[in-house]
Amino acid sequence: MIGIFSHFNGITKSINCNDNIANYIAVGREGYYFIPLDSQDKPIDGGVVLEDEPLSGLEKFFSGRDFKGLGPKIAEKIINNLGIEIIYLLKKRNFVAIEEKTSKNILTVLISGWDIVSDNSGFEVLFSQLGFSFTQKKFIKEHIGVEFFTKVHIDPYMLLQKIPRQNFESIEKLILKLGINVSEEQKLVAASRHALMKSELERGNTCGPSEKVLFRVQEMTNTDTDKIEDAINSAPHLFHKFSFNGKSFIETKEAEERDLEIAKQLNRISSNFRAMKDKKFTANKNVKSPLSDEQVGAIQNSLGSPVSIITGGPGTGKTRIIEGLAQVLVKKYEKKIRICAPTGRAAKRIAENPSLQTFKPSTIHMLIATIESSAGISEIDALIVDESSMIDINLFKDLVKLVPDGSQLILIGDVDQLPPVGPGQPFLDLIRSKKVMVSRLTQQFRQGSKSDISTVAKAVNRGEVIDYSSDIKSSDFIFIDVEKRDVVQEITKALDGFTENGKDRVDLERTQILSPMRRFPAGLINLNAILQEKYNPNSRKVFSKLENEHEVNFFVNDKVICTTNDYELDIRNGDIGYIVNKIGKNIQINFEGKSKLIHEKRIDIIDLAYAITVHKSQGSEYANVIMPIVDDHRIMLSRKLIYTAITRGKQKVCLVGSKRVFKEALKKVYLNLRYTNLFSKFEKSVYDLFS
């Protein structure tokens, strides 16, 4: 691709634009210039000339990640003092002139950042002015490149789908800045799709009531709902409208096709399922302890069904169910089974069971990768999936494709926990469909029959408030009712009380603080900072990283969590460990006895873990759990969130905060309700197809 590049000095020259867009944008005293040409050297209607001085772009540029420590206020002062000249002074390395109008410390940061971005400075400043974040700019460079301006002139709204966390308002501003012409229908169709996709991304909805969707689009575009509806009706290839219980709903075509594909796969599994002659099951003598009648019934139901669900709360013996299923399927029926879970932490917990280690439980993602790289798919007779309530609709679509003809799918989980982090709720939708065999476990085994944790969890699930102790030594469930200003102090007191065998040090390994949110005094960012200072003082710093404009430091002996699956390093999302040392450019971390070396370039996968979010705790269990209950977190607090947090604890659970806020949260069921439509896609019962 050839382009005309107009420099600020008025010189225009042809250049070869074959690789990186960053090479062809400069900061000029009169603005930016980038005008692509076609193969005949004729200008394409995709060039950009911003004639105003790029001061706002410069401020965003110098307050970005590359200039660590400056921030928006200091960046603003730099621009006020030096203006556009700062770029030319840095290019000429005239540091004396910069220091005269800033300071030595600021100059040090400017030099360090400029060494990183100098080759791409024009791109960085321009795209900062156009409103793109650090992550978005990186994505544009790597995935769109030199064709950006050409593509954006053809269809600016494609950026809503292509660029992470892009919003409609930003695209509208971009259209104005670049002088792009769009039709009203094009605008309304794009806004409607964005409203649905944003709802899916942020709230997990895969569809929405028509009136709510139209209202959101009306707010975004200031357009009559009649025109919006006409635009939606004009694009049946992009939208699907349907009715349920007399109400009109809208979903994207992609969402409809995704649900239909899942229904198709489940019907395929059902149609090809080969029934076992003897579906009756009695507990095998090799099982560690006798199964209850309820558990035996659940296993019998699953053995006779192509697709089945077993749901129950904590302590109802779901792992024992997996043991029993493995025993009977392998030893009695000589079936080949695979066991998996949505997270590495959950898969690891299954693998810790001696009777299940031989089946090598893995994450769903790992299983998919293994099957795709081999011919092993035909060797699965039964696929058992634990923690199935955590599976979102996209992962579930990939999961059901794994099950070969003639095999069965057994889903195990707790339907009362939080919905998946991603969109949809396939586990609940399958139950709602009433087309799949469902077994419910109610009998408690984990804690004793008099367990306060179990009693409170059940009450919370019903939305009831019962009496609870404030004595940390007399009960396994404690509620410390204190003012908001005292919550953090009381959390540290409770943590001090959770010691093992009278040891002096706080038992951080067995105790986990769960917070509903990252922000506010009782959010995990502040809690981690306070607890780090209290329980790990005077340690050697090994690395730091920027998190929400705050610098987070990491020290030797810090408690940390892995935030993604890394199969190369053999660490999983949710694994908790302790920093041991820094060796060269590698951080040594001990994850439950396994020492791992993580290169400093990959530190983004590590967070502090003195406190973690409730969502991050799903699929994990801890001896002790502490959770703040404060009105700052009201927007996130709900019945399901509190239930999920409580049920992570096996020995003690301590809530700290306001009983009033706690009671209000138990009334909030709607927070976790999602608009989904998978359950309606089944034309006939999966179970009936077999039976």
Side-chain angles (χ1 to χ4, degrees):
M1 179 180 173
I2 304 296
I4 292 176
F5 188 51
S6 300
H7 288 279
F8 66 90
N9 59 11
I11 298 173
T12 301
K13 64 178 181 179
S14 295
I15 57 171
N16 188 12
C17 307
N18 290 329
D19 46 19
N20 194 336
I21 188 175
N23 299 330
Y24 314 112
I25 300 172
V27 179
R29 287 184 170 88
E30 298 177 2
Y32 311 90
Y33 306 86
F34 180 83
I35 306 172
L37 299 180
D38 61 18
S39 56
Q40 281 81 45
D41 289 349
K42 294 180 180 179
I44 298 173
D45 185 21
V48 59
V49 179
L50 299 182
E51 295 179 353
D52 297 329
E53 286 191 354
L55 297 185
S56 65
L58 282 173
E59 288 179 13
K60 292 177 181 176
F61 172 59
F62 286 116
S63 61
R65 294 189 187 184
D66 294 315
F67 298 89
K68 290 183 179 180
L70 291 186
K73 290 183 179 179
I74 296 176
E76 184 181 2
K77 288 181 181 178
I78 293 171
I79 304 307
N80 287 339
N81 291 335
L82 290 164
I84 197 73
E85 288 298 317
I86 183 66
I87 293 292
Y88 307 104
L89 292 173
L90 286 168
K91 281 183 177 180
K92 294 174 183 178
R93 304 189 77 78
N94 188 349
F95 301 143
V96 175
I98 297 173
E99 187 176 350
E100 285 177 354
K101 294 191 176 183
T102 56
S103 70
K104 190 173 182 178
N105 289 336
I106 290 174
L107 176 62
T108 302
V109 176
L110 286 170
I111 294 171
S112 177
W114 184 255
D115 289 340
I116 298 171
V117 301
S118 57
D119 292 341
N120 300 325
S121 60
F123 170 88
E124 293 287 342
V125 179
L126 170 58
F127 278 76
S128 292
Q129 184 162 336
L130 292 177
F132 295 107
S133 68
F134 175 88
T135 305
Q136 291 169 339
K137 288 186 291 185
K138 183 180 178 183
F139 187 90
I140 291 168
K141 277 194 290 188
E142 294 177 355
H143 299 281
I144 303 179
V146 296
E147 295 182 344
F148 176 86
F149 292 112
T150 302
K151 287 183 176 180
V152 86
H153 268 262
I154 296 170
D155 179 16
Y157 297 111
M158 61 90 182
L159 298 177
L160 290 168
Q161 284 75 56
K162 286 190 175 291
I163 299 179
R165 300 200 175 275
Q166 187 57 267
N167 61 69
F168 188 80
E169 293 75 17
S170 297
I171 299 300
E172 289 290 276
K173 290 177 182 177
L174 183 68
I175 289 170
L176 286 173
K177 285 180 180 178
L178 301 185
I180 302 171
N181 294 318
V182 295
S183 68
E184 185 177 51
E185 184 178 288
Q186 185 183 5
K187 174 181 176 178
L188 296 178
V189 166
S192 301
R193 281 177 59 78
H194 180 65
L196 287 165
M197 291 178 175
K198 186 179 181 181
S199 181
E200 177 169 303
L201 179 66
E202 296 180 355
R203 298 184 177 276
N205 300 316
T206 61
C207 61
S210 296
E211 60 183 30
K212 289 191 176 184
V213 175
L214 293 174
F215 178 73
R216 290 193 202 102
V217 178
Q218 184 183 40
E219 285 187 317
M220 292 162 59
T221 63
N222 195 28
T223 307
D224 291 340
T225 55
D226 289 344
K227 288 185 177 180
I228 300 168
E229 193 160 16
D230 288 343
I232 292 172
N233 291 335
S234 73
H237 60 294
L238 297 176
F239 302 97
H240 173 239
K241 299 176 76 174
F242 63 95
S243 296
F244 180 74
N245 284 344
K247 286 189 73 174
S248 174
F249 288 80
I250 306 173
E251 62 188 352
T252 64
K253 204 67 178 175
E254 294 94 329
E256 180 198 25
E257 290 171 353
R258 181 176 57 197
D259 286 352
L260 288 172
E261 175 63 23
I262 291 171
K264 174 185 171 185
Q265 293 294 336
L266 291 175
N267 281 320
R268 172 188 61 79
I269 295 168
S270 306
S271 300
N272 293 287
F273 179 62
R274 296 187 293 270
M276 287 166 279
K277 293 181 181 179
D278 179 16
K279 292 184 287 184
K280 191 173 180 181
F281 166 69
T282 51
N284 190 286
K285 63 181 180 180
N286 294 323
V287 176
K288 289 190 298 183
S289 56
L291 294 163
S292 69
D293 291 343
E294 188 179 61
Q295 291 171 326
V296 170
I299 292 174
Q300 287 178 334
N301 289 339
S302 291
L303 290 176
S305 308
V307 180
S308 61
I309 285 176
I310 300 173
T311 180
T316 54
K318 294 189 292 294
T319 303
R320 289 280 294 107
I321 290 282
I322 297 175
E323 285 183 321
L325 282 167
Q327 288 276 340
V328 70
L329 284 167
V330 174
K331 294 190 175 183
K332 185 173 183 178
Y333 295 109
E334 299 182 342
K335 300 290 185 179
K336 295 175 181 176
I337 70 170
R338 295 297 298 267
I339 303 172
C340 61
T343 68
R345 187 79 176 175
K348 190 175 182 178
R349 204 178 73 233
I350 302 169
E352 290 170 351
N353 187 312
S355 64
L356 298 176
Q357 287 175 352
T358 56
F359 301 106
K360 297 180 179 179
S362 70
T363 63
I364 297 171
H365 293 92
M366 177 66 83
L367 183 61
I368 292 171
T370 303
I371 288 174
E372 287 179 347
S373 63
S374 68
I377 189 167
S378 61
E379 298 179 359
I380 300 176
D381 295 309
L383 181 59
I384 302 171
V385 189
D386 197 18
E387 296 289 353
S388 295
S389 66
M390 298 176 64
I391 303 173
D392 66 34
I393 195 71
N394 294 312
L395 184 57
F396 193 67
K397 185 183 78 169
D398 294 334
L399 174 70
V400 292
K401 290 179 180 179
L402 292 182
V403 185
D405 290 349
S407 301
Q408 62 186 140
L409 175 65
I410 303 171
L411 303 170
I412 300 172
D414 183 357
V415 74
D416 295 317
Q417 283 191 41
L418 287 168
V421 174
Q425 46 190 9
F427 189 72
L428 175 60
D429 274 352
L430 286 180
I431 295 174
R432 290 170 68 192
S433 75
K434 298 181 180 180
K435 304 291 176 69
V436 177
M437 173 59 72
V438 178
S439 302
R440 299 180 184 272
L441 305 176
T442 58
Q443 189 177 347
Q444 281 283 330
F445 296 97
R446 178 190 295 168
Q447 298 106 356
S449 58
K450 297 182 179 179
S451 164
D452 294 320
I453 295 175
S454 173
T455 303
V456 173
K458 288 179 180 178
V460 166
N461 201 25
R462 296 190 300 266
E464 298 174 0
V465 177
I466 60 176
D467 292 332
Y468 24 67
S469 174
S470 59
D471 184 357
I472 201 165
K473 298 190 179 194
S474 66
S475 174
D476 55 12
F477 179 87
I478 311 101
F479 198 119
I480 302 173
D481 191 10
V482 294
E483 297 292 331
K484 184 169 68 176
R485 64 177 180 269
D486 299 323
V487 165
V488 174
Q489 183 181 355
E490 289 296 330
I491 285 175
T492 61
K493 283 184 182 178
L495 190 55
D496 285 337
F498 291 158
T499 57
E500 185 182 16
N501 300 325
K503 292 181 181 178
D504 292 334
R505 82 178 290 275
V506 172
D507 192 4
L508 294 174
E509 295 183 16
R510 300 173 68 252
T511 302
Q512 186 59 59
I513 296 172
L514 305 179
S515 182
M517 295 179 69
R518 303 181 70 83
R519 298 183 296 118
F520 301 107
L524 69 90
I525 294 174
N526 187 55
L527 284 173
N528 273 322
I530 290 172
L531 296 170
Q532 181 188 55
E533 185 177 353
K534 178 176 172 64
Y535 298 117
N536 191 30
N538 307 318
S539 287
R540 182 167 63 89
K541 181 179 172 181
V542 291
F543 71 92
S544 63
K545 69 176 185 177
L546 203 63
E547 186 175 320
N548 295 331
E549 298 185 358
H550 296 280
E551 188 174 52
V552 180
N553 296 314
F554 293 76
F555 302 89
V556 171
N557 296 325
D558 267 341
K559 184 179 182 180
V560 294
I561 185 171
C562 179
T563 60
T564 187
N565 292 320
D566 192 311
Y567 299 111
E568 185 181 339
L569 291 171
D570 191 27
I571 52 176
R572 304 290 184 264
N573 186 358
D575 280 357
I576 288 178
Y578 291 83
I579 296 176
V580 177
N581 198 5
K582 185 174 184 180
I583 305 172
K585 293 188 175 182
N586 292 300
I587 313 301
Q588 183 184 6
I589 302 177
N590 188 325
F591 290 100
E592 299 180 10
K594 295 181 180 179
S595 181
K596 303 293 180 181
L597 292 176
I598 301 175
H599 196 276
E600 61 184 13
K601 290 183 178 179
R602 303 172 71 182
I603 60 172
D604 280 346
I605 72 170
I606 300 298
D607 281 341
L608 290 174
Y610 298 96
I612 63 175
T613 63
V614 179
H615 286 83
K616 184 62 73 175
S617 74
Q618 288 194 93
S620 301
E621 294 177 340
Y622 314 97
N624 310 309
V625 165
I626 303 173
M627 179 185 179
I629 304 288
V630 294
D631 55 9
D632 286 342
H633 298 163
R634 186 176 294 167
I635 191 172
M636 288 294 295
L637 285 170
S638 67
R639 187 185 301 179
K640 281 202 172 191
L641 186 107
I642 294 174
Y643 171 84
T644 301
I646 290 173
T647 56
R648 298 309 88 205
K650 294 192 292 183
Q651 295 179 15
K652 283 187 181 290
V653 173
C654 178
L655 303 187
V656 183
S658 168
K659 289 183 179 180
R660 173 184 56 80
V661 174
F662 177 72
K663 291 175 182 178
E664 290 175 0
L666 297 190
K667 299 175 184 177
K668 293 182 183 177
V669 183
Y670 64 88
L671 280 184
N672 304 116
L673 294 179
R674 293 184 171 182
Y675 294 112
T676 57
N677 194 35
L678 174 63
F679 65 92
S680 72
K681 298 295 196 299
F682 305 112
E683 295 181 2
K684 40 187 171 177
S685 169
V686 173
Y687 182 67
D688 287 345
L689 282 171
F690 159 68
S691 59

